[in-house]
Amino acid sequence: MKRLFLAVVASMLVVSLSAAPKKQPKVDYVDALQLTMIGKLCETTNPYHRIEVAAVPELSKGEARLLCQTSGLAIAFKTNASSIYVKPTYGTKNSWGPNSPLSATTGFNLFIKKDGDWMWAASRAHKVAPTAKVIEAGLLNKPLTVINGMAKGEKECLLYLPLYSELTSLEIGVAEGATLEALPNPFRYNIAVFGSSFTHGSCASGAGLTWPAFLSRATNLHLCSFGMSGNSKLQPYLGEVFGKSNADALICDAFSNPTIAQIGSRIRPFIEAVRKNSPDMPIIFLNTIYREHRNFLPRYDQKEQSRIDYVEETMAAITKEYKNVYFVNVPNQTGTDHITSADGTHPYSYGYHRWAQAIEKPVMKILKKHKIK
């Protein structure tokens, strides 16, 4: 009986010890600005904004808010840590909606280089939407464990920042004693990418799963995204921003948002605004994608097709009129099997991957003409 009692006590002790919480390692945090920011083209007071919005008074309040969000930005670093943590501080210029998961809206997406290629490693986000009350309560400012339990050894990392959130600061952490150093920019040249919610990344499941991010990793070109959900409308004042930047080329998803009337009245002023300060910069316009809403709605189908036909006719004239202006007109960029739509308008991540693959060869062919390769 005594032996049985001792055995029971011993088993209870084992259970108790196994259930005891593991001691959390001490984490050393580094300001992300001490590492390497990727996707940044313009100097800004807040380094996590994509342009200095105060310097462009023509911007609407909505346009300014979107350009304060960190879509397309990433931090490059190398570390031998087995775990990586982030401690973000969010601003108030955030967006969220039912068609984008929090993993992309407020989340961080880690890629690690393996055998020469960037491979998805982790995605992590807070579990609450960035409402004003949530921000005020500081609920999004808690540290996040991005990944835990990796094998030992040095790793080259790309940490993509949230698509639809404003950051005011960011710290990246590793366990005490592990290394964390800046990684030189793994991408070359500076390619500005101006576009719609497609470019911004609506419905992508992670911050590194947009078509500019896919195309950048595939080509090793430094694509700097200026996606502006619903607001890529050939605004000449934005053309002037790109012309004044240090971009080597400009790619435009310019025909997904504007009406036919807006395209007709703005296409030339937009090009001329770029040309004012960058007379030889190659400008590559992309055709828009097929939207699955068209499948069973004849009126919507007709409206979309009218815009597509108008763009093809207009760009045929524009490319003859302006030197170094191109139109990449690739049909069925996201496929013909009708399986990539998330909401009838936007693709999910697999659709964005297909889009990047579809335009890679024609875009690279044009850029090589300008010794960008």
Side-chain angles (χ1 to χ4, degrees):
M1 189 72 178
K2 184 177 180 180
R3 289 180 178 178
L4 178 61
F5 173 76
L6 291 174
V8 171
V9 171
S11 65
M12 290 175 65
L13 181 60
V14 169
V15 171
S16 176
L17 288 173
S18 65
K22 293 182 179 180
K23 185 179 180 180
Q24 293 296 316
K26 182 179 179 182
V27 178
D28 288 335
Y29 284 95
V30 170
D31 188 329
L33 299 179
Q34 296 180 26
L35 305 172
T36 302
M37 187 174 288
I38 304 298
K40 183 78 171 176
L41 188 63
C42 303
E43 292 294 324
T44 54
T45 303
N46 178 335
Y48 297 101
H49 290 176
R50 289 178 287 163
I51 71 169
E52 189 65 62
V53 296
V56 188
E58 299 91 340
L59 288 169
S60 70
K61 185 176 180 180
E63 291 168 351
R65 174 175 54 82
L66 291 166
L67 287 166
C68 289
Q69 296 168 356
T70 55
S71 176
L73 300 183
I75 305 297
F77 57 92
K78 56 184 178 180
T79 181
N80 64 2
S82 59
S83 303
I84 297 172
Y85 309 85
V86 292
K87 191 159 40 172
T89 304
Y90 293 83
T92 58
K93 297 177 177 65
N94 309 303
S95 307
W96 68 96
N99 61 352
S100 289
L102 292 178
S103 58
T105 301
T106 63
F108 296 82
N109 197 181
L110 178 68
F111 280 72
I112 297 176
K113 185 165 279 190
K114 183 176 181 180
D115 300 326
D117 294 320
W118 292 106
M119 182 177 291
W120 185 96
S123 184
R124 190 66 190 271
H126 293 287
K127 296 181 180 179
V128 289
T131 64
K133 289 184 178 179
V134 166
I135 297 293
E136 185 178 352
L139 298 180
L140 291 180
N141 298 338
K142 297 178 180 178
L144 283 171
T145 302
V146 177
I147 193 168
N148 188 29
M150 292 188 290
K152 295 181 179 179
E154 189 171 82
K155 307 157 193 74
E156 295 183 3
C157 302
L158 265 181
L159 182 70
Y160 288 90
L161 309 187
L163 295 180
Y164 282 95
S165 295
E166 179 191 28
L167 293 182
T168 58
S169 70
L170 175 66
E171 294 177 274
I172 298 176
V174 294
E176 185 179 34
T179 62
L180 179 60
E181 302 173 13
L183 179 71
N185 190 337
F187 305 110
R188 57 191 186 276
Y189 300 100
N190 291 317
I191 315 297
V193 182
F194 174 46
S196 65
S197 54
F198 298 138
T199 300
H200 201 126
S202 184
C203 291
S205 56
L209 301 175
T210 65
W211 74 259
F214 280 121
L215 186 60
S216 183
R217 293 193 299 269
T219 62
N220 287 321
L221 293 178
H222 187 214
L223 269 61
C224 303
S225 177
F226 294 87
M228 295 174 60
S229 285
N231 291 276
S232 172
K233 297 181 180 180
L234 293 165
Q235 298 94 319
Y237 47 87
L238 288 172
E240 190 166 349
V241 169
F242 301 132
K244 288 180 178 178
S245 73
N246 63 342
D248 298 296
L250 173 61
I251 300 174
C252 297
D253 154 34
F255 305 125
S256 300
N257 290 150
T259 63
I260 287 175
Q262 288 172 329
I263 294 168
S265 64
R266 295 182 180 182
I267 183 70
R268 287 174 177 83
F270 177 83
I271 294 170
E272 288 160 10
V274 176
R275 287 282 181 261
K276 186 188 303 183
N277 293 285
S278 296
D280 300 315
M281 179 193 292
I283 305 175
I284 303 171
F285 289 94
L286 307 177
N287 64 313
T288 192
I289 63 171
Y290 181 94
R291 305 185 191 202
E292 298 297 328
H293 275 314
R294 299 176 61 177
N295 294 340
F296 300 102
L297 299 174
R299 185 177 177 183
Y300 187 84
D301 180 57
Q302 183 180 11
K303 180 181 177 182
E304 280 291 291
Q305 192 59 49
S306 295
R307 179 167 55 175
I308 288 169
D309 293 342
Y310 180 81
V311 166
E312 290 180 355
E313 180 181 343
T314 300
M315 289 310 297
I318 290 289
T319 52
K320 292 178 181 178
E321 187 176 337
Y322 291 92
K323 183 181 177 182
N324 298 336
V325 173
Y326 306 90
F327 183 44
V328 172
N329 189 13
V330 178
N332 306 315
Q333 307 98 310
T334 59
T336 58
D337 47 13
H338 304 286
I339 64 167
T340 63
S341 185
D343 61 1
T345 298
H346 308 92
Y348 58 90
S349 296
Y350 181 47
Y352 287 131
H353 181 244
R354 283 184 170 181
W355 190 349
Q357 286 184 315
I359 66 173
E360 180 179 345
K361 285 185 178 180
V363 166
M364 290 303 294
K365 183 177 179 181
I366 292 168
L367 293 177
K368 285 177 181 177
K369 287 177 60 178
H370 296 270
K371 303 188 184 307
I372 301 172
K373 54 186 179 180

